Amino acid sequence: MTTFSLLLTTSPLASQSFASALQFCNAAVAAGYQIEQIFLYQDAIFAASAEIDLPADEPNLSQLLAVFCQQNHIPLLYCVTAAEKRGMLDPGSSFIGAGLAEFAMRLTNSKLVQF
Amino acid sequence: MTTFSLLLTTSPLASQSFASALQFCNAAVAAGYQIEQIFLYQDAIFAASAEIDLPADEPNLSQLLAVFCQQNHIPLLYCVTAAEKRGMLDPGSSFIGAGLAEFAMRLTNSKLVQF
Amino acid sequence: MKLISLINPEITIAELATLCDKGDTLLLRQDAVYLARRSDIRWPCQNVTVLKSDLEVRKITPTTGISIIDDAQWVELTASATQVMLWQ
Amino acid sequence: MKLISLINPEITIAELATLCDKGDTLLLRQDAVYLARRSDIRWPCQNVTVLKSDLEVRKITPTTGISIIDDAQWVELTASATQVMLWQ
Amino acid sequence: MQHIAIIQRQSPYNSSGGREALDLTLALAAVEHQLTVIFSGDGIYQLLPVNLNNDFSLKRYQQGFKLFGLYEIEQLYICQHSMQQRQIQLKDLAFAAQQLDAIALQQLLAKQQQIVCI
Amino acid sequence: MQHIAIIQRQSPYNSSGGREALDLTLALAAVEHQLTVIFSGDGIYQLLPVNLNNDFSLKRYQQGFKLFGLYEIEQLYICQHSMQQRQIQLKDLAFAAQQLDAIALQQLLAKQQQIVCI
C-alpha cells in the first residue's frame, strides 16, 4: 500500500495549504494509508513558531497539524536550513528540525504530495 | 518638500523588496527628503525577528535597514496585528511594534510608497 | 496518469498545457475551484475534477464536464496516479 | 501623472491597462526589468522607464522606447507624481 | 485626512492579502481617511458567496465587508473587465459593489492621494 | 533511489523559490536520487546572466547552478514555449540547458516518480 510524504512550502497564514494537507492526511489515514513524513520547507517553516503563540480567536492550523501528527505518530519536520535563512530559532514546539537530507532519505519509499 | 511613508508587505528573504526600499531611502535622504515612517505589514513583519539571528554569510537586509533607520532617525515600525496572526512575539530587536492606527496617522502628511 | 492539482485561480493554462498529457487528471482545489464555474476554459486534459469540500464552502456549481470528488476519492486518485504534481 | 512600479515579470498588462492612463509613467524595477528586453509588449502608457541598477545587475539592454533612470531620478519621479502605485 | 484607494487583487484563500487588505482599509477609515476600495483581477472572487455552515478551518473574513457601512466606506467598486473575463455577473456576488469600466477606474484613481495595491 | 523532476517556475529575485528549489535539488541528488530540472515560465529568467561585479544585496545564487555537474545532475531542460513567449534564445542564457517542446516535456515527466513544482 502506498506511503505518502507531504511537502508544504507556504506559511500557515498565507493560504489554505495547511488546512488542505490536514484534510488529505485525515482521509488517507482513515483509508489505511501510512504517512512517512510531513516536511515544511520555505515559508512553511513559520508554522513551527506559529503553533505556540496565536491569539485564541485565530484558527491554529499549525497546532491542529501538530496534534494530528502526534496522535498518528507521523514525523512532523521543518527544514532547519530554511529556518536559519529566515532567522527563526528552534521555537521548542512539537515540530522537529531536520535537514533536507532527511527529507530526501524518507522520500525513498514514499510518494510525494506537494501542498 | 515631500515627506515619504514606506509600506513593505513581503518577507525580507522572499524578494528584492527590502533591498529596493533601502536603495530608495538612501537616494531620498541624499536628496534632502524626509521619511516619516517605514511600516512593515503582512509577511514583512518577519524582518523584525530576522534581524537578530541570520547566519553570517546571509545578506541581512533587515539589519541594514535597521541601521539606516537608526542613523537617520526614521521610525521603523512593524504591525503588531500582523505579527500576532503569525505567532511572532516581540523579538526585542530595533524594530518597533505599532498598530495600523499609527501607520494611518503618520500617513496624513506624507506620500505613500509601497514596496 | 499524472494527477495535477491547481490551487490558484490565476490562469496559466497555456504554460500548464506544455506539461500535461491529454490522459492526465486535473484536480481543482482551494481557490482554483472558482475556475469550475467557467465554461470558456479549454482544459488541456480530458479529466477535470473538483474537490467537493472546496466547492461547498464557496457555494459553487461546476460547469458540465467537471466531475466532483470527495476526500476519499482524492486520496485514491493520489495513490493510483503515476505522478502527483502541484501546479503553482 | 501616476507613477506605477512593476516588480514582477508576470504579464498582467490587460488588467493593468484598465487602471492606467496614457499619461501615466510605468517604472520597471526588480525582476520586472526582464520585460524591458521585449519588443512585443504593448504598454498601456506612453512613458515606460526602467531602473538602472536593476538593469545592470541583470545585464539587460532595454528595447527602444524604454528610458533608463537612476536612483535620484526615481526619487524625483516619485516626489512629483500625483499618485504612486505598486502593481503586484 | 486623505483620499486613499485600496486595490484588492488576490483571491480570498490563496494568500492573506484579501483579509489583511480589509484590516488595513478599516484601520485607515477609522482615523478619518476617505477610503475607496476597488476589487480587480482575482480579487473579485472575494465578493462571491461563502458558506457559513460547513466545516472550514480558515477565517471567513469576508463577513467583515459588512463593516464598511459602519466605517462610512461607501466607495466600493469592481473592475468590469475582470468580471467579464471571469464570467461573473453582479447577481452572483454576495456583497454588492459598483462595476466600473477602465475610463471610470482611471478617473477614480486620479482623485486619490494614495494608492495601496494588495 | 527515485527519478525526481524539479520544475523551476519563479523568476530569480521575486521570491525565494528559485534559490530554495536549487538547494532542494542538490540535497536530493546528494542522497542518490536521479534529478531532472525543468525551467518553465518565469523560471527561465534564472538562466539569464547576472552581473557579479556591481552592488547588489541579494545572493547571486545562480552561481550554484555550476554545482550540477559535481552532483551528477545532467538532465537540465527548458520549456521551448516559455522561451519563445519571452523572446529568449539559447544564446542569451548564461547557463545552458536543452530546449524541449511540449511533447518531449510530457514524455520526460512520464518517466519520473516524483515531481516538485516551485
Side-chain angles (χ1 to χ4, degrees):
Chain A
M1 206 166 182
T2 312
T3 299
F4 295 113
S5 275
L6 272 67
L7 175 65
L8 280 83
T9 62
T10 54
S11 89
L13 186 75
S15 75
Q16 206 190 321
S17 295
F18 273 74
S20 294
L22 186 56
Q23 189 180 338
F24 179 87
C25 286
N26 267 308
V29 166
Y33 289 98
Q34 297 277 319
I35 295 170
E36 171 65 28
Q37 62 178 332
I38 297 178
F39 192 82
L40 312 181
Y41 192 47
Q42 298 188 256
D43 282 353
I45 59 104
F46 285 125
S49 62
E51 184 199 356
I52 307 174
D53 286 306
L54 282 201
D57 65 332
E58 200 64 34
N60 195 332
L61 270 310
S62 308
Q63 196 169 58
L64 291 174
L65 191 63
V67 169
F68 175 85
C69 287
Q70 227 150 14
Q71 285 170 347
N72 294 281
H73 310 290
I74 298 166
L76 179 56
L77 313 171
Y78 70 89
C79 176
V80 288
T81 319
E84 266 175 19
K85 285 195 177 106
R86 289 164 174 80
M88 190 186 82
L89 294 177
D90 184 339
S93 65
S94 50
F95 293 66
I96 301 157
L100 284 169
E102 179 163 353
F103 168 69
M105 284 183 291
R106 286 182 177 272
L107 202 55
T108 302
N109 297 309
S110 61
K111 186 169 201 167
L112 182 64
V113 189
Q114 193 183 352
F115 280 87
Chain B
M1 207 164 180
T2 312
T3 300
F4 295 113
S5 275
L6 271 68
L7 175 66
L8 280 83
T9 62
T10 54
S11 90
L13 187 75
S15 74
Q16 205 190 321
S17 295
F18 273 75
S20 294
L22 186 57
Q23 190 178 338
F24 179 87
C25 285
N26 267 309
V29 167
Y33 290 98
Q34 297 278 318
I35 296 170
E36 171 66 28
Q37 62 178 333
I38 298 179
F39 191 83
L40 312 181
Y41 193 46
Q42 298 188 256
D43 282 353
I45 60 104
F46 286 124
S49 63
E51 184 199 355
I52 308 173
D53 287 306
L54 281 202
D57 64 333
E58 200 64 36
N60 195 332
L61 270 309
S62 309
Q63 196 170 58
L64 291 174
L65 191 63
V67 169
F68 176 85
C69 287
Q70 227 150 16
Q71 285 170 347
N72 294 280
H73 311 289
I74 297 167
L76 180 55
L77 313 171
Y78 71 89
C79 176
V80 287
T81 319
E84 266 175 19
K85 286 194 176 106
R86 288 162 174 80
M88 190 186 84
L89 294 177
D90 185 339
S93 65
S94 49
F95 293 66
I96 301 157
L100 284 169
E102 180 162 352
F103 169 69
M105 284 184 291
R106 285 182 177 273
L107 203 54
T108 302
N109 297 309
S110 61
K111 185 168 200 168
L112 182 65
V113 189
Q114 194 184 351
F115 279 87
Chain C
M1 180 272 287
K2 283 204 295 294
L3 174 66
I4 305 174
S5 281
L6 267 73
I7 57 169
N8 184 328
E10 215 178 299
I11 291 290
T12 50
I13 306 291
E15 190 193 338
L16 175 59
T18 63
L19 300 173
C20 76
D21 275 290
K22 271 251 172 292
D24 290 340
T25 297
L26 283 186
L27 172 58
L28 308 179
R29 296 195 287 110
Q30 302 184 193
D31 277 355
V33 304
Y34 290 118
L35 297 176
R37 297 175 69 257
R38 290 173 59 170
S39 55
D40 62 319
I41 299 175
R42 293 201 51 171
W43 298 105
C45 312
Q46 274 156 355
N47 291 317
V48 181
T49 57
V50 58
L51 190 64
K52 190 163 177 268
S53 57
D54 280 327
L55 269 184
E56 284 177 351
V57 75
R58 292 170 185 82
K59 295 185 163 185
I60 290 170
T61 310
T63 187
T64 46
I66 297 182
S67 55
I68 301 174
I69 63 170
D70 64 17
D71 290 2
Q73 291 170 304
W74 176 22
V75 171
E76 289 315 314
L77 258 180
T78 306
S80 64
T82 49
Q83 293 89 19
V84 182
M85 176 175 155
L86 176 72
W87 184 244
Q88 65 167 1
Chain D
M1 181 274 288
K2 283 203 295 294
L3 175 65
I4 305 174
S5 280
L6 267 73
I7 57 170
N8 185 329
E10 214 179 300
I11 291 289
T12 49
I13 305 292
E15 191 194 337
L16 175 59
T18 63
L19 299 173
C20 76
D21 276 290
K22 272 250 172 291
D24 291 339
T25 297
L26 283 186
L27 172 58
L28 308 178
R29 296 194 287 110
Q30 303 184 192
D31 277 355
V33 305
Y34 290 118
L35 298 175
R37 297 173 71 256
R38 289 173 60 170
S39 55
D40 62 320
I41 299 175
R42 293 201 51 172
W43 298 105
C45 311
Q46 274 156 356
N47 292 317
V48 181
T49 57
V50 58
L51 191 64
K52 189 163 177 269
S53 57
D54 280 327
L55 270 184
E56 284 177 351
V57 74
R58 292 169 184 82
K59 294 185 163 188
I60 290 171
T61 311
T63 187
T64 46
I66 297 182
S67 56
I68 302 173
I69 63 169
D70 64 17
D71 291 2
Q73 291 169 304
W74 176 22
V75 170
E76 290 314 316
L77 258 180
T78 307
S80 64
T82 49
Q83 294 88 19
V84 181
M85 174 175 156
L86 176 71
W87 184 243
Q88 63 166 2
Chain E
M1 191 275 287
Q2 293 181 319
H3 288 87
I4 304 177
I6 309 285
I7 305 177
Q8 282 262 24
R9 287 194 70 229
Q10 303 294 320
S11 69
Y13 301 113
N14 193 54
S15 79
S16 66
R19 185 181 164 193
E20 293 190 282
L22 171 62
D23 290 348
L24 179 63
T25 305
L26 300 180
L28 289 168
V31 299
E32 312 297 327
H33 290 299
Q34 288 288 312
L35 271 290
T36 293
V37 185
I38 300 168
F39 292 87
S40 176
D42 290 337
I44 60 179
Y45 291 124
Q46 295 183 40
L47 302 172
L48 289 178
V50 184
N51 193 334
L52 300 176
N53 300 316
N54 65 354
D55 208 28
F56 187 59
S57 43
L58 302 194
K59 266 218 172 147
R60 283 166 258 219
Y61 70 91
Q62 295 100 317
Q63 295 299 102
F65 292 152
K66 291 181 186 158
L67 298 172
F68 283 151
L70 196 67
Y71 284 76
E72 294 176 19
I73 302 169
E74 285 152 9
Q75 311 282 312
L76 303 168
Y77 303 99
I78 317 177
C79 168
Q80 192 175 56
H81 167 83
S82 305
M83 291 278 280
Q84 286 166 351
Q85 202 186 20
R86 287 164 186 76
Q87 301 192 321
I88 297 175
Q89 293 170 349
L90 281 179
K91 68 172 172 52
D92 299 326
L93 304 183
F95 190 85
Q98 194 187 338
Q99 269 194 83
L100 293 182
D101 64 14
I103 290 167
L105 284 171
Q106 289 157 23
Q107 286 169 346
L108 187 66
L109 288 177
K111 288 183 204 148
Q112 309 301 318
Q113 286 158 284
Q114 320 276 23
I115 301 173
V116 177
C117 182
I118 288 181
Chain F
M1 190 275 287
Q2 294 181 319
H3 288 87
I4 304 176
I6 308 284
I7 305 176
Q8 282 263 23
R9 288 195 68 228
Q10 303 294 321
S11 70
Y13 301 114
N14 193 55
S15 79
S16 66
R19 185 180 164 193
E20 294 189 282
L22 171 62
D23 289 349
L24 179 63
T25 305
L26 300 180
L28 289 168
V31 300
E32 311 298 328
H33 290 300
Q34 288 288 313
L35 272 289
T36 293
V37 185
I38 299 168
F39 292 87
S40 176
D42 289 337
I44 61 178
Y45 291 123
Q46 295 183 40
L47 301 173
L48 290 178
V50 184
N51 193 336
L52 300 176
N53 301 316
N54 66 354
D55 207 28
F56 187 59
S57 41
L58 303 194
K59 266 219 172 145
R60 283 166 258 220
Y61 70 91
Q62 295 100 318
Q63 294 300 101
F65 292 152
K66 291 181 185 158
L67 298 172
F68 283 151
L70 197 67
Y71 284 76
E72 293 176 20
I73 302 169
E74 284 151 10
Q75 310 282 311
L76 304 168
Y77 302 101
I78 318 177
C79 168
Q80 193 175 54
H81 166 83
S82 305
M83 291 278 280
Q84 286 166 352
Q85 201 186 19
R86 287 165 186 75
Q87 301 192 321
I88 297 175
Q89 294 170 347
L90 282 178
K91 68 169 172 55
D92 299 325
L93 304 182
F95 190 85
Q98 194 186 338
Q99 271 194 81
L100 294 183
D101 64 15
I103 291 166
L105 284 171
Q106 290 156 23
Q107 287 169 346
L108 187 66
L109 288 177
K111 290 183 203 146
Q112 308 301 318
Q113 287 158 284
Q114 320 277 23
I115 301 173
V116 177
C117 182
I118 287 180

